[in-house]
Amino acid sequence: TSLIKESNVDVLIIGAGPAGLMAANALAKSGVNVRIVDQRPDKVAAGQADGIQPRTIESYGLAERLLREGNQMHMAAFYNPSASGGIELTDRVPDVTAPSARFPFEVTLHQGAIEAIFLDSMESLGVKVCRPLIPTSIQVSEDDDQLKDVNSHPVRVSFFLERRFVNENLVVLRNLNPFDDHEESEIVHAKFVIGADGAHSWVRKTLGLTMDGEQTDYIWGVVDMTPDTDFPDIRNRCAIHSNNGSCMIVPREEDKVRLYVQLDDRNAVDEESGRVDKSKIGPHELLDATRKIFHPYSFKTPESFDWWTIYIIGQRVASKFSVKDRVFIAGDACHTHSPKAGQGMNASMNDTHNLAWKLTQVLRGWANLSLLQTYELERREYAQNLISFDRQFARLFSGKPRTEECMDGVSHEDFLKIFQTFSGFTSGIGIHYAPSPITDPSYQAHAKKLIIGQRLLPQIFVRAADSRPIEIQDLLPADSRFKLLVFVGDSSDATRRDRIRRVAEDIRDVVRPYSPDGLTAVFEIIAISCTKKADVRHNELSELFGCHWSKILLDDKDVRGKQGGDGYVNYGIEPSVGAVVVVRPDGYVGMVAPFENVKELGAYFVGFMKGLSPNM
Ligand code: FAD
């Protein structure tokens, strides 16, 4: 006889890789009742993804630990065949060409260390990964009334558990066969489910979501180790095209290095399954291939390898990212591609970064369920762009180099062009969401250089109360609230101050109906004046906007004249006009409202938020 346990949860996350952990941490921080399960008995110890792009460093509050623990890649070097045989240096260029990046470099750190940042944060909030645990069935209700009611639990997920003792420690093992004897079963009723269960996603397959795209012929080996070599660019990111194949170097934390080596050995592929047969090829064979590519530089066999793998690249995007906006798939579960542009983990974390605030807003009753449709809209288009970039990049990377004997090959100029043209994309800085209810470009002209649909440009302002230089991005944490940046113009002018007073009142009137839990619970107002610090009266402004003293900023240089200034110019805002910039909880510019017509804010929020009637 088995015991059936039933429980309710707001959000159930299946899979605790980067996508699942990002979601669990963000939701836990917002106070959402969340549960996360994973089939692995333990977290990732080594290997897998390792590249963190500039946008990821600036956006999730991860920067401090990433910068402390990770390696930084500032330079990219390119090697090509030399006339005397072997390879030679062709070029060295900055690794990232994204002028507005706050951190203009990539950080490399192994996936387990990145996951640990989320795990530690979650633990401090009382959320732990339940492992090893695998769900056995998932059903989404067909009942429309239930689906429309945000407080209902229309997704039913079951688990069959089997308890065993290993070395006197109790472990809960999965038992995949529901007809076997099992001591305990659990049925979880969830309001929402996130399938973040990787490239072979069970959630995706069980719900019948297909992947569009194809497997490529490119086979790559990856090996992590501490190298012993005379190759001069071993601490730079390198792309090496040789007559013996291609290789990419990714320098890593401490003295470690990752090598991506292209293999042309189809013998290693099992014809039936299409998967690489790891018994036929191992790290020593990868190192042999590396030596041929690196000639004339030497590469000694290390005492040990930290991690290695071999895989065939598939370039696919899921046909849909959600089922009835109650189950969502995220990360590798909905897009797979080559790892060389360092996108996998970043794209995966970005998916759930995009989803978590929307779920929070809906669960709190602030936004309509329809807000959730923008997840697929935004992230599927991004995934498609990622695959089309990856096709070009992987083809050029895997192609033969151009030489006198092979004039059709890939030239350094072609490769560099793609590398630099797509830097905005690969750095994450250039991600641009299309117009939708949450991305309204109507008033772009009021802040010409803040592209609506892109992340807010970093900029140092000076805090009015104490002249401390502040990076504006640090005032925009992903805490589920919309931020309203009010560019008031020159607040030292008495006539202008009267206008600011009226605008401040209007803004509060317009957003109050969308603030069922109080205005500051849903919105954060930050006012930015272009008055000089010698003339500012910050308390007057904080009173007008009803905000904390620390939210009044100046577009001026700091006291040493080194940081800050030119914020209005950099954002394309006319000081004599002003503007209100709406920053979404994920840091993207959602809309700009004219200073003289802040009622437009209402037209934006009514598109996806629940407005209270004025007498409520
Ligand atoms: P994942 O990190 O795959 O996480 C999915 C999680 O779901 C896993 O913890 C898994 O145990 C769990 N899970 C799966 N099925 C179930 C289930 N039914 N029930 C419960 N839990 C489940 N990227 C690179 O950039 N470079 C590389 O060299 C590289 N090598 C890789 C090697 C391997 C072996 C793998 C698997 C991935 C590699 N990647 C690499 C890809 C990179 O790890 C992913 O892009 C990134 O981790 C995606 O994050 P994710 O959270 O979407 O998925």
Side-chain angles (χ1 to χ4, degrees):
T1 52
S2 67
L3 186 71
I4 299 187
K5 214 166 78 179
E6 294 208 26
S7 61
N8 283 355
V9 68
D10 283 353
V11 182
L12 172 69
I13 301 169
I14 299 169
L21 291 173
M22 158 66 78
N25 185 46
L27 293 167
K29 273 185 162 174
S30 307
V32 170
N33 169 9
V34 60
R35 184 151 170 213
I36 176 164
V37 305
D38 197 285
Q39 66 180 11
R40 285 193 194 133
D42 227 325
K43 69 180 171 107
V44 170
Q48 301 205 15
D50 59 3
I52 296 290
Q53 56 184 215
R55 171 62 191 150
T56 307
I57 313 172
E58 66 182 32
S59 59
Y60 312 135
L62 301 175
E64 193 199 334
R65 219 163 126 177
L66 282 177
L67 296 177
R68 193 171 67 232
E69 294 177 23
N71 173 66
Q72 297 181 10
M73 292 199 301
H74 289 262
M75 181 81 92
F78 300 88
Y79 280 73
N80 283 289
S82 72
S84 56
I87 52 167
E88 66 183 3
L89 175 67
T90 314
D91 212 351
R92 285 185 182 136
V93 301
D95 181 50
V96 172
T97 328
S100 77
R102 185 174 165 197
F103 303 99
F105 49 84
E106 285 178 84
V107 165
T108 52
L109 186 62
H110 81 88
Q111 189 169 318
I114 288 153
E115 292 182 4
I117 303 179
F118 292 119
L119 289 167
D120 292 350
S121 166
M122 280 160 53
E123 200 159 322
S124 71
L125 298 161
V127 177
K128 277 192 172 178
V129 181
C130 307
R131 58 168 101 225
L133 196 54
I134 302 192
T136 43
S137 77
I138 178 165
Q139 283 143 11
V140 189
S141 167
E142 298 281 339
D143 179 344
D144 266 353
D145 290 338
Q146 206 186 359
L147 290 170
K148 277 187 209 141
D149 174 9
V150 70
N151 294 315
S152 72
H153 294 80
V155 196
R156 182 185 187 276
V157 181
S158 55
F159 298 90
F160 292 90
L161 311 181
E162 186 184 49
R163 292 180 184 282
R164 278 203 195 143
F165 285 89
V166 174
N167 298 335
E168 295 180 9
N169 293 321
L170 177 70
V171 286
V172 181
L173 295 169
R174 62 190 184 186
N175 180 352
L176 279 176
N177 185 350
F179 300 107
D180 279 358
D181 262 357
H182 43 263
E183 292 171 8
E184 194 177 314
S185 311
E186 184 173 0
I187 295 169
V188 175
H189 300 276
K191 290 180 179 167
F192 299 98
V193 168
I194 302 177
D197 49 347
H200 305 287
S201 171
W202 170 86
V203 175
R204 185 189 71 223
K205 288 181 200 154
T206 310
L207 293 174
L209 303 178
T210 53
M211 290 290 265
D212 301 336
E214 65 249 15
Q215 188 96 303
T216 66
D217 285 336
Y218 309 131
I219 310 174
W220 284 82
V222 191
V223 55
D224 289 351
M225 63 182 156
T226 301
D228 182 353
T229 175
D230 57 359
F231 182 66
D233 278 290
I234 196 74
R235 295 304 309 172
N236 286 323
R237 180 178 176 186
C238 286
I240 303 171
H241 280 98
S242 86
N243 289 326
N244 297 311
S246 304
C247 173
M248 175 171 271
I249 298 176
V250 177
R252 284 267 303 275
E253 68 274 16
E254 295 154 9
D255 294 336
K256 292 189 180 80
V257 158
R258 168 169 290 187
L259 300 177
Y260 284 101
V261 191
Q262 189 188 356
L263 302 167
D264 50 9
D265 189 1
R266 294 293 304 180
N267 294 333
V269 180
D270 181 88
E271 286 303 327
E272 230 166 77
S273 66
R275 292 195 177 195
V276 176
D277 181 350
K278 280 193 171 177
S279 65
K280 292 197 176 143
I281 197 156
H284 290 281
E285 287 74 18
L286 291 178
L287 206 64
D288 286 345
T290 305
R291 281 202 191 95
K292 286 186 196 142
I293 295 171
F294 270 63
H295 178 74
Y297 299 101
S298 72
F299 226 102
K300 295 197 182 125
T301 306
E303 274 175 22
S304 62
F305 297 98
D306 293 318
W307 182 79
W308 68 278
T309 190
I310 296 177
Y311 57 91
I312 307 177
I313 298 171
Q315 290 163 324
R316 301 191 177 100
V317 181
S319 50
K320 280 169 89 266
F321 281 22
S322 109
V323 174
K324 299 187 198 304
D325 286 322
R326 288 293 189 157
V327 180
F328 301 89
I329 50 171
D332 277 12
C334 48
H335 41 72
T336 60
H337 40 84
S338 74
K340 283 171 301 299
Q343 299 295 297
M345 183 160 48
N346 296 279
S348 301
M349 292 195 284
N350 254 312
D351 283 346
T352 46
H353 186 62
N354 182 288
L355 180 59
W357 71 266
K358 296 172 182 175
L359 283 173
T360 304
Q361 289 243 342
V362 167
L363 283 164
R364 287 198 178 150
W366 300 347
N368 298 317
L369 274 162
S370 64
L371 172 63
L372 300 173
Q373 293 166 6
T374 62
Y375 167 66
E376 175 170 312
L377 183 97
E378 298 190 326
R379 296 308 297 170
R380 189 156 186 276
E381 186 184 326
Y382 166 77
Q384 282 169 323
N385 291 340
L386 174 56
I387 301 303
S388 83
F389 155 73
D390 195 56
R391 284 210 179 97
Q392 297 186 56
F393 195 63
R395 189 175 47 77
L396 287 185
F397 203 90
S398 301
K400 287 221 170 301
R402 181 175 296 177
T403 53
E404 280 189 5
E405 295 79 47
C406 175
M407 289 308 282
D408 296 342
V410 180
S411 72
H412 171 61
E413 290 69 32
D414 293 343
F415 190 69
L416 187 64
K417 197 164 152 214
I418 289 280
F419 185 82
Q420 291 183 326
T421 310
F422 285 99
S423 194
F425 188 75
T426 53
S427 63
I429 298 296
I431 292 176
H432 190 165
Y433 293 134
S436 75
I438 51 172
T439 306
D440 176 359
S442 307
Y443 294 101
Q444 180 69 76
H446 289 252
K448 291 191 188 68
K449 296 186 189 161
L450 281 183
I451 307 300
I452 296 167
Q454 292 196 2
R455 61 78 156 112
L456 187 88
L457 290 174
Q459 170 69 38
I460 293 181
F461 292 101
V462 166
R463 202 156 64 180
D466 59 1
S467 284
R468 176 170 163 176
I470 301 278
E471 167 52 60
I472 185 84
Q473 287 190 340
D474 292 339
L475 295 188
L476 311 172
D479 58 5
S480 312
R481 296 188 298 170
F482 278 87
K483 317 294 182 308
L484 306 177
L485 310 186
V486 191
F487 290 84
V488 298
D490 183 358
S491 55
S492 65
D493 178 273
T495 334
R496 179 85 191 171
R497 254 201 324 273
D498 281 344
R499 264 164 74 192
I500 298 172
R501 176 171 294 109
R502 279 199 307 278
V503 169
E505 278 165 14
D506 286 351
I507 291 175
R508 290 161 71 180
D509 285 349
V510 171
V511 298
R512 197 169 287 120
Y514 304 101
S515 317
D517 300 330
L519 201 147
T520 52
V522 189
F523 298 97
E524 169 109 277
I525 298 180
I526 298 172
I528 303 160
S529 164
C530 58
T531 308
K532 295 290 150 211
K533 51 188 172 301
D535 305 325
V536 74
R537 285 182 290 184
H538 75 87
N539 33 4
E540 235 175 57
L541 282 177
S542 55
E543 212 168 287
L544 287 185
F545 286 100
C547 56
H548 191 254
W549 59 265
S550 60
K551 309 297 171 188
I552 306 299
L553 306 178
L554 298 181
D555 186 19
D556 198 2
K557 287 215 177 298
D558 72 337
V559 289
R560 284 167 205 88
K562 289 200 170 144
Q563 300 184 68
D566 290 337
Y568 275 63
V569 175
N570 294 342
Y571 284 1
I573 297 171
E574 187 53 57
S576 61
V577 181
V580 183
V581 175
V582 177
V583 182
R584 301 170 9 171
D586 54 2
Y588 285 76
V589 181
M591 70 104 55
V592 176
F595 195 72
E596 296 301 334
N597 188 9
V598 292
K599 297 235 163 24
E600 288 300 320
L601 291 172
Y604 171 76
F605 288 115
V606 78
F608 60 94
M609 290 186 91
K610 287 187 177 166
L612 302 174
S613 65
N615 47 8
M616 274 182 84

